[in-house]
Amino acid sequence: MASFGWKRKIGEKVSKATSQQFEAEAADDKDLGDDDDANWVLAAKRRKEILLEDCVRKSKELKDEGANLAENRRYREALVKWDEALQLTPEDATLYEMKSQVLMSLHEMFPAVHAAEMAVQRNPRSWDAWQTLGRAQLGLGEIALAIRSFQVSLHIFPMNPEVWKEDLSWARKLQEQQKATKTESVQALAVGKELAQESIPDYDFESDEIVAVCAAIAEKEKALSAAKTMVIVSASGTVETVTEQDDCPATPDETLFIRAR
């Protein structure tokens, strides 16, 4: 049986020239592979850019279609178009702001506030979004929050007369009315408490007058209990009132009279 020894390396019998040629060919193949990888990456980036451009273009078309529908008061159809556009460009703050306006026109205030908040989150520098948010909050009765949103809108665009003259002034007027109503309610409640306290007289149950009245009532009750009376109806229909004394030995004959209540 042949004995096992160390295996020779594969490249021991390969000539030096052959080895150098093989290494040169491998280097060329590597360069080609690197070029293919680079080209594939560039192609993928280009396809992604084209896809994004298509999404933006399609989203703009849907946005414009929705705007036309909203101008014709076809609000539900406009919302459908804008929701489709948001699927393509979910970071478009203008879509959320327009959607909030339409929802307010439909008197759906909670979704309107949510859409306006999404617009503000995506573009905090949009005075339109803050104005729409303030109007939606005002529709929910959140006057203090609405005033803050209008103030932020004015901070971004101080020369906006619409927010100054219409939105903010109206919100402050409502706030003053709300404060006046609360003050009147508190005052009415206080007056009601005072009247309730005055309607209950403060009796002194230990005064001489009260003691005398109680004693008189007790004496009257004692006299009534001492003399008992009964109403007697005879068989012929005669009604008589009989006073029964404590020392009376007997009552009238029950065979001749009928005791009445």
Side-chain angles (χ1 to χ4, degrees):
M1 179 180 295
S3 60
F4 291 97
W6 292 105
K7 292 183 179 180
R8 295 180 179 179
K9 295 181 181 180
I10 297 176
E12 282 187 359
K13 293 185 178 181
V14 179
S15 64
K16 186 175 181 181
T18 305
S19 177
Q20 291 176 351
Q21 183 180 359
F22 176 79
E23 291 176 356
E25 291 176 355
D28 294 337
D29 293 339
K30 183 178 180 181
D31 293 337
L32 292 174
D34 293 340
D35 292 339
D36 292 339
D37 292 341
N39 293 333
W40 181 86
V41 172
L42 292 175
K45 288 182 179 180
R46 181 56 184 165
R47 283 196 297 270
K48 185 177 180 181
E49 291 174 357
I50 294 173
L51 181 61
L52 291 175
E53 291 174 358
D54 292 339
C55 289
V56 172
R57 178 180 53 79
K58 182 61 176 178
S59 177
K60 186 178 183 304
E61 293 177 358
L62 292 170
K63 183 193 294 185
D64 294 339
E65 292 177 7
N68 293 329
L69 291 170
E71 289 177 359
N72 295 322
R73 298 182 181 275
R74 298 165 64 180
Y75 297 132
R76 296 294 180 186
E77 298 177 43
L79 289 175
V80 172
K81 294 294 183 181
W82 291 336
D83 285 336
E84 292 178 2
L86 284 171
Q87 296 294 326
L88 299 172
T89 54
E91 299 301 320
D92 192 341
T94 306
L95 285 169
Y96 284 105
E97 191 268 334
M98 296 167 66
K99 184 177 178 181
S100 178
Q101 292 188 49
V102 168
L103 289 170
M104 280 190 284
S105 299
L106 294 172
H107 303 288
E108 298 181 9
M109 294 304 172
F110 282 104
V113 170
H114 177 70
E117 288 176 346
M118 297 291 286
V120 168
Q121 290 176 5
R122 279 153 178 74
N123 187 7
R125 300 295 301 172
S126 172
W127 66 267
D128 287 328
W130 283 104
Q131 181 187 26
T132 302
L133 177 59
R135 290 179 176 179
Q137 291 169 337
L138 204 61
L140 281 180
E142 299 291 345
I143 300 176
L145 294 177
I147 290 175
R148 179 185 177 277
S149 297
F150 293 143
Q151 289 174 342
V152 175
S153 178
L154 285 172
H155 179 74
I156 299 171
F157 184 22
M159 303 305 294
N160 188 351
E162 184 180 15
V163 179
W164 271 115
K165 297 178 180 180
E166 296 181 12
D167 297 316
L168 188 58
S169 61
W170 173 246
R172 285 177 174 171
K173 184 178 180 180
L174 291 177
Q175 189 179 46
E176 292 175 359
Q177 293 177 355
Q178 187 182 52
K179 289 180 180 179
T181 303
K182 287 182 179 180
T183 303
E184 292 177 359
S185 300
V186 171
Q187 291 177 352
L189 183 60
V191 171
K193 288 183 178 180
E194 291 178 359
L195 292 175
Q197 292 177 354
E198 292 177 358
S199 62
I200 302 175
D202 188 11
Y203 290 112
D204 184 6
F205 292 98
E206 295 182 358
S207 64
D208 295 338
E209 291 82 0
I210 299 298
V211 172
V213 170
C214 292
I217 294 174
E219 290 295 333
K220 186 177 181 181
E221 292 291 336
K222 184 177 180 182
L224 290 175
S225 62
K228 300 179 181 179
T229 59
M230 294 185 297
V231 178
I232 305 299
V233 181
S234 65
S236 61
T238 304
V239 179
E240 295 182 6
T241 302
V242 179
T243 301
E244 180 182 2
Q245 301 293 334
D246 291 340
D247 56 352
C248 180
T251 60
D253 190 356
E254 294 182 358
T255 61
L256 299 177
F257 299 97
I258 301 172
R259 182 178 295 180
R261 282 179 149 183

